[in-house]
């Protein structure tokens, strides 16, 4: 059976969180514009909204984790999209155990590389690796699979 890619849901969540952060608005304020720009199947919208809800519920915890994993780079200096992609990936890693870690990290890196700066993919990858090590979710000397 073929695997379903949740990338459209992740991009939707990123766009919705970005619109909220830039405008200072609520989900209800930003949702119509995001859905108009990117129509989604119901299952993708449902998963994307789950990610948005998790990020909003755990934002302070996530930002604290991001700060702790980026010793020389304050969260306020990070690209807005990088912060949002990191928050989404972290909630998936912490609260959506059915999605494999490798998938979460790969998706975050690819989305950051596509939508943010030239160095965002590498930055997101490194910060998530540090987060996983800090949380004891991977061993310090684990080799990456190709």
């Amino acid at each position: 059976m073929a695997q379903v890619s949740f990338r459209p849901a992740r991009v939707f969540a990123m766009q919705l969180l970005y619109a909220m952060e830039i405008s200072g608005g609520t989900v209800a304020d930003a949702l119509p514009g995001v859905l108009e720009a990117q129509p989604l199947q119901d299952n993708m919208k449902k998963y994307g909204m789950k990610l948005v809800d998790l990020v909003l519920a755990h934002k302070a915890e996530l930002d604290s984790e991001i700060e702790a994993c980026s010793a020389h780079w304050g969260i306020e200096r990070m690209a807005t999209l990088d912060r949002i992609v990191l928050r989404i990936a972290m909630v998936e890693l912490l609260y959506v155990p059915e999605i494999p870690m490798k998938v979460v990290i790969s998706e975050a890196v690819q989305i950051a590389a596509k939508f943010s700066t030239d160095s965002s993919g590498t930055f997101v990858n490194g910060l998530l690796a540090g987060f996983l090590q800090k949380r004891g979710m991977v061993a310090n000397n684990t080799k990456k699979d190709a």
Side-chain angles (χ1 to χ4, degrees), residues 50-139:
K50 175 182 179 175
L51 295 174
V52 169
D53 291 343
L54 284 167
V55 166
L56 294 176
H58 299 281
K59 187 173 183 244
E61 170 195 357
L62 298 169
D63 286 355
S64 176
E65 291 283 358
I66 292 169
E67 285 273 10
C69 293
S70 59
H72 304 294
W73 196 255
I75 195 166
E76 70 283 347
R77 292 183 59 208
M78 293 176 194
T80 302
L81 282 175
D82 292 357
R83 284 193 314 265
I84 291 169
V85 169
L86 286 165
R87 290 172 185 148
I88 292 168
M90 287 177 170
V91 295
E92 280 191 293
L93 291 167
L94 293 171
Y95 303 108
V96 190
E98 61 270 19
I99 306 291
M101 281 191 289
K102 285 182 180 182
V103 171
V104 172
I105 293 167
S106 176
E107 287 286 301
V109 168
Q110 290 178 36
I111 289 169
K114 180 175 181 178
F115 291 99
S116 196
T117 69
D118 290 342
S119 59
S120 290
T122 303
F123 175 73
V124 165
N125 187 54
L127 201 136
L128 289 174
F131 170 73
L132 291 172
Q133 286 181 353
K134 182 176 173 284
R135 283 288 186 126
M137 297 168 85
V138 295

Side-chain angles (χ1 to χ4, degrees), residues 29-54:
D29 296 333
L31 187 58
V34 173
L35 284 174
E36 184 178 315
Q38 181 183 333
L40 285 175
Q41 297 175 354
D42 285 344
N43 65 330
M44 292 295 159
K45 185 166 63 171
K46 182 178 176 182
Y47 187 69
M49 287 306 301
K50 175 182 179 175
L51 295 174
V52 169
D53 291 343
L54 284 167

